[in-house]
Amino acid sequence: MAWAILLISGVFEAVWAIALDASQGFKKLKPTIVFIIGSLLSIAGLAIAMRELPTGTSYAVWTATGATITVIYSMATGQEKATVVRLFLILGLVTCVVGLKAVS
């Protein structure tokens, strides 16, 4: 259950990162509210998962999950260029997360 909570909190990390960009420096209300809620859920999920999982592994999986989703979203929306190298590096992040799960 801790792993599921950790991955969900990683998704919320991506939510708050995307909302932070959309808030334009907290100038837009709706994305700012999404940012606040997303960041609270993300941190809360990380804290709950860390009750059962090691800190280093939890943090690495949490950040890698959020970063991966954020980059893929940015590529899908055209904010970032999708290249073979970037996709390969994202695959590397995902592989590392799976590896951390396998050895935990």
Side-chain angles (χ1 to χ4, degrees):
M1 185 58 132
W3 281 102
I5 292 169
L6 182 60
L7 291 174
I8 292 167
S9 69
V11 172
F12 279 111
E13 184 190 10
V15 168
W16 72 250
I18 293 163
L20 180 60
D21 179 53
S23 76
Q24 296 180 351
F26 303 118
K27 291 179 183 174
K28 293 187 173 184
L29 181 60
K30 187 175 177 180
T32 299
I33 292 169
V34 172
F35 163 76
I36 292 167
I37 293 169
S39 60
L40 290 173
L41 291 172
S42 180
I43 294 291
L46 176 62
I48 291 167
M50 286 174 59
R51 291 178 187 165
E52 296 180 31
L53 302 173
T55 301
T57 300
S58 298
Y59 185 69
V61 170
W62 179 70
T63 57
T65 302
T68 298
I69 294 168
T70 303
V71 170
I72 290 171
Y73 174 84
S74 295
M75 288 179 187
T77 59
Q79 293 175 322
E80 290 190 35
K81 195 173 182 180
T83 66
V84 173
V85 173
R86 286 181 185 207
L87 293 172
F88 179 74
L89 292 169
I90 291 169
L91 180 61
L93 275 174
V94 172
T95 302
C96 288
V97 168
V98 171
L100 286 170
K101 166 68 170 115
V103 299
S104 291

